[in-house]
Amino acid sequence: MAQRKFFVGGNWKMNGNKESLGELINTLNTASLHDQTEVVCGAPSIYLDFARSSLDPRIGVAAQNCYKVAKGAFTGEISPAMIKDCGVDWVILGHSERRHVFGESDELIGQKVTHALESDLGVIACIGEKLEEREGGTTEEVVYAQTQVIADNVKDWGKVVLAYEPVWAIGTGKTATPEQAQEVHEKLRAWIRANVSDDVADSLRIIYGGSVTGVNCRELASQGDVDGFLVGGASLKPEFIDIINARA
């Protein structure tokens, strides 16, 4: 069975300025980070160049979104080609805020996944159910459908990290219990095994997002199918170091 390298992504969202992000970057650059953990910071697009040129090379950078084509008359969008041109190797796609605040459809997210991977960007692909879906007992149905759209658009799974983020736990202070997270991750891995392949099921990193903190990260990291985190608010604070080192 493939050894899955622990993966911790920080999603800075629409936060920070050069001064505050510069301080955060300095903290990360000088910190002792677990060398068996892959770390990637998701910077606002306007700061991608700044983040990549300032961060230590051992820390990756991600864009928080991109469009489905390389260039053209798409005011306000950025393309994988532009992201790559800034020396950045990752993009976050399908985040619940893109789905629910900005109305991105499964179809559009799938097209973005295809184009990003064709452009040789790594993709952190996000899935997750809303509170009414969790309470209505349709969690599996929702996350399988979202995963299906992603899977339909992936040829090389080596460049993909799957992020399970229950929407009801993002920025709410509510966290899925380690048991709840493990249960969904285990079911997702079984879905991948049944619908993609054994090899991909063994090697694909399925990471958890939703109010991860320095306090709850170790217990979450100890779950067998939780291969890392996508961290929101806490990724802007010094406790991000503790989360990176959750398996140290």
Side-chain angles (χ1 to χ4, degrees), residues 22-108:
E23 287 168 14
L24 176 65
I25 287 167
N26 190 46
T27 300
L28 288 168
N29 286 350
T30 53
S32 173
L33 305 180
H34 189 227
D35 61 0
Q36 292 308 305
T37 297
E38 184 169 2
V39 183
V40 174
C41 292
S45 59
I46 200 164
Y47 295 135
L48 284 172
D49 224 339
F50 171 71
R52 183 60 287 166
S53 58
S54 310
L55 271 168
D56 188 289
R58 68 188 168 150
I59 299 169
V61 176
Q64 297 174 12
N65 192 25
C66 68
Y67 198 50
K68 63 182 179 179
V69 292
K71 60 179 187 197
F74 302 103
T75 300
E77 293 289 331
I78 62 171
S79 70
M82 294 170 175
I83 294 166
K84 295 280 291 183
D85 195 38
C86 290
V88 171
D89 295 321
W90 290 92
V91 64
I92 301 168
L93 291 175
H95 191 280
S96 64
E97 288 153 10
R98 297 306 315 174
R99 294 176 188 269
H100 304 306
V101 180
F102 299 103
E104 291 192 11
S105 65
D106 274 344
E107 183 189 20
L108 176 60

Side-chain angles (χ1 to χ4, degrees), residues 17 23 66 98 116 122 132 134 144 150-152 164 191 206 221 224:
N17 53 31
E23 287 168 14
C66 68
R98 297 306 315 174
E132 58 268 30
R134 160 75 58 169
Y144 292 164
I150 291 160
D152 288 344
Y164 167 61
W191 187 94
I206 305 176

Side-chain angles (χ1 to χ4, degrees), residues 147 151 157 162 187-198 200-202 204 206:
T147 307
W157 283 90
L162 191 63
K187 285 176 173 167
L188 282 166
R189 202 174 301 284
W191 187 94
I192 296 282
R193 196 173 298 285
N195 294 278
V196 182
S197 74
D198 282 341
V200 172
D202 288 338
L204 177 67
I206 305 176

Side-chain angles (χ1 to χ4, degrees), residues 6-9 185 206-209 221 225-230 247:
F6 204 67
F7 184 103
V8 176
H185 283 232
I206 305 176
I207 65 175
Y208 172 77
D225 289 291
V226 175
D227 303 313
F229 304 118
L230 186 55
R247 280 218 177 148

